[in-house]
Amino acid sequence: MVALAALALSVLWYVLRGVGYLWKPAARVVGQLAPWTVKLRAWVLSAPATFVYIALFTMGTFVQKTAPPRLIDLLVKVDSTNLHRLSDDPATVLVTSAVWVADRGSGLSMYIAVFATVVAWAERRYGTPRLILIAISAHVLGSLCTARVERWAIDTGRAPEKLIRATDVGVSYIMVGCCAAAVLIMWSWVRLVGVAVMVMVVVVPVLTSRTVWDLGHLFATLFGLGAALLVRSAGPLREPPPLTEPWGRGVRGASRPREDESV
């Protein structure tokens, strides 16, 4: 519903802009909303990897919601980073599992909200290449370590043999890894809140439910944090780009700098 609402609002906005060229009341509404839409557009453009990834796993969820359930169960199992698929085609499943939301798309609105705010903020500070490295580290290394624990649990009789073909897909691994990177560069009481939330979401489930998937989230968090520490040592954080429209691409009627002014 969140994705559909965002799409509907985007279409409505551009329709309103088109009507504004012909109808003055619509033009006034566009002018009143323009400062906010400019900031929103600049926010999206300043975190391209995050919003492209949101589009990918949202489309994957739409497929899950509209296709026959048996077909989706088969596709997700084929793309899962379980022991069977990792031993058969590790590179492919590590890529494809990253676009599926677990439990047939359950919690999509939460994923979109976290990525569009926390993870996008982290990308604005780390930069796109470094955030991609953090995400890959969290997903790939978290998945591989989880598989290693699964293998150990099966070999020692602590888990049933059917765990070899269990479903384990990776949007949540990327999310917790990138959130850990975001918390690392937060400040003052905001960092304390971030740490508390990460403990509640990642650590507490490991101690209470004790499933291998909860352990996987802990692995992904630690690897995301480790990658963030590594990329920070390579150079300082970047200054976030301003939430303004580039000159020449703004709202009609916006003022431009004079030629003798520096931009």
Side-chain angles (χ1 to χ4, degrees), residues 83 147-161 164:
L83 290 172
R148 187 67 188 90
V149 171
E150 289 176 356
R151 182 76 270 174
W152 170 82
I154 293 171
D155 291 343
T156 58
R158 290 176 169 83
E161 192 73 18
I164 291 177

